[in-house]
Amino acid sequence: MPRLAELAVTPLQPFEARVAGLRSPRGKIGLEVRLSGRITVACQRCLQGLDLALQPRAGFELEHSEAQADAAGLDEDEVWDAVMGSDRFDLIALCEDELLLAIPYAPMHEACEPVGATEAGDRASPFAALEKLKRG
Ligand SMILES: [Zn+2]
């Protein structure tokens, strides 16, 4: 899962995946995917490692063509999605998509200091430097 590995700041650990073939709530042939595992990403505030538990769950109706998938009109249901199958599709990529979606947009520790906060506080203000020049 290269896209997931790119976000991780430590080597990617295996995820557990349970995939079941079943009928969707609308009676179509589908798959239910349940994933679970952990990933360490960079905190967007302090840039240190942040350990996240990911447990996405998703359902997919299998359609042979885009037209069929469009007609499915699955928008109201957030959990069920349509995938274009023809005869084959990439299950690993599908799982990777779900894991990527489960990562917050800007992951952060509950409490941490922004990187460089103390340096910025110690640094003299540019206006102080200007004042110095004027006096000089
Ligand atoms: Zn942090």
Side-chain angles (χ1 to χ4, degrees):
M1 295 192 278
R3 290 171 293 157
L4 210 55
E6 208 168 284
L7 283 180
V9 294
T10 58
L12 209 56
Q13 299 301 308
F15 286 87
E16 185 180 301
R18 290 165 189 264
V19 181
L22 41 69
R23 293 269 173 194
S24 78
R26 302 184 319 141
K28 297 226 172 188
I29 293 171
L31 287 179
E32 189 187 53
V33 178
R34 289 168 186 261
L35 298 154
S36 106
R38 307 189 78 86
I39 187 172
T40 305
V41 297
C43 166
Q44 295 303 293
R45 189 160 43 209
C46 70
L47 302 183
Q48 299 298 305
L50 170 63
D51 182 53
L52 295 174
L54 304 181
Q55 289 187 302
R57 179 181 148 242
F60 300 95
E61 283 186 350
L62 303 178
E63 301 285 4
H64 282 290
S65 70
E66 200 159 345
Q68 276 176 303
D70 282 345
L74 282 164
D75 294 344
E76 323 93 58
D77 195 319
E78 287 171 24
V79 177
W80 281 81
D81 228 334
V83 291
M84 270 54 77
S86 62
D87 287 329
R88 291 169 173 273
F89 68 93
D90 190 343
L91 182 59
I92 303 270
L94 205 75
C95 290
E96 188 180 19
D97 286 345
E98 292 306 318
L99 290 165
L100 286 166
L101 286 172
I103 297 175
Y105 177 68
M108 276 183 239
H109 294 110
E110 274 180 39
C112 62
E113 289 298 319
V115 65
T118 51
E119 293 159 41
D122 293 343
R123 203 182 297 145
S125 140
F127 296 105
L130 203 64
E131 190 66 27
K132 219 172 176 183
L133 274 175
K134 275 165 76 184
R135 275 196 229 125

